[in-house]
């Protein structure tokens, strides 16, 4: 997996309908990486405490092509810096 693929996964998880800051943080705490969240089945998500809204949002999610453009814009503007990342796991990805 390239660094861009990894960053895309983090951005894509934030774009899933039904996932807000609290559920995002809970998912990362439970699965450690967005790719593991996307790979989890319904039973595993529910065992991690996720409700219908999150489970259905993940099941129906199809990443928008614009997410790659958003990532590129952030890179071009210097908006993705490790020292600005809110969670330690995000900081590790961008360093």
């Amino acid at each position: 997996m390239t660094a861009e693929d990894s960053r895309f996964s983090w951005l894509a998880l934030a774009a899933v309908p039904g996932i807000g800051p609290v559920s995002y943080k809970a998912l990362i705490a439970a699965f450690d990486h967005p790719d593991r969240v996307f790979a989890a089945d319904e039973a595993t998500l529910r065992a991690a405490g996720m409700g219908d809204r999150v489970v259905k949002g993940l099941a129906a999610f199809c990443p928008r092509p614009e997410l790659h453009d958003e990532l590129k814009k952030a890179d071009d503007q210097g908006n993705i810096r490790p020292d600005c990342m809110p969670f330690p796991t995000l900081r590790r990805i961008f360093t």
Side-chain angles (χ1 to χ4, degrees):
M1 170 185 299
T2 67
E4 182 168 334
D5 292 337
S6 182
R7 293 184 314 159
F8 181 79
S9 297
W10 290 91
L11 185 60
L13 184 61
V16 173
I19 294 181
V22 173
S23 54
Y24 188 97
K25 188 173 181 178
L27 286 163
I28 296 307
F31 295 96
D32 194 48
H33 196 279
D35 289 341
R36 291 182 181 160
V37 174
F38 287 117
D41 61 16
E42 180 179 346
T44 305
L45 291 167
R46 291 197 185 279
M50 297 300 118
D52 286 340
R53 190 170 165 180
V54 171
V55 172
K56 288 178 182 177
L58 284 164
F61 183 67
C62 181
R64 301 181 328 261
E66 300 86 37
L67 289 178
H68 285 288
D69 294 337
E70 290 175 28
L71 187 58
K72 173 134 177 42
K73 282 181 196 174
D75 281 343
D76 291 346
Q77 295 174 3
N79 291 339
I80 297 184
R81 297 188 344 250
D83 58 324
C84 295
M85 296 296 129
F87 304 113
T89 306
L90 285 175
R91 284 187 211 109
R92 285 196 311 266
I93 289 169
F94 291 101
T95 56

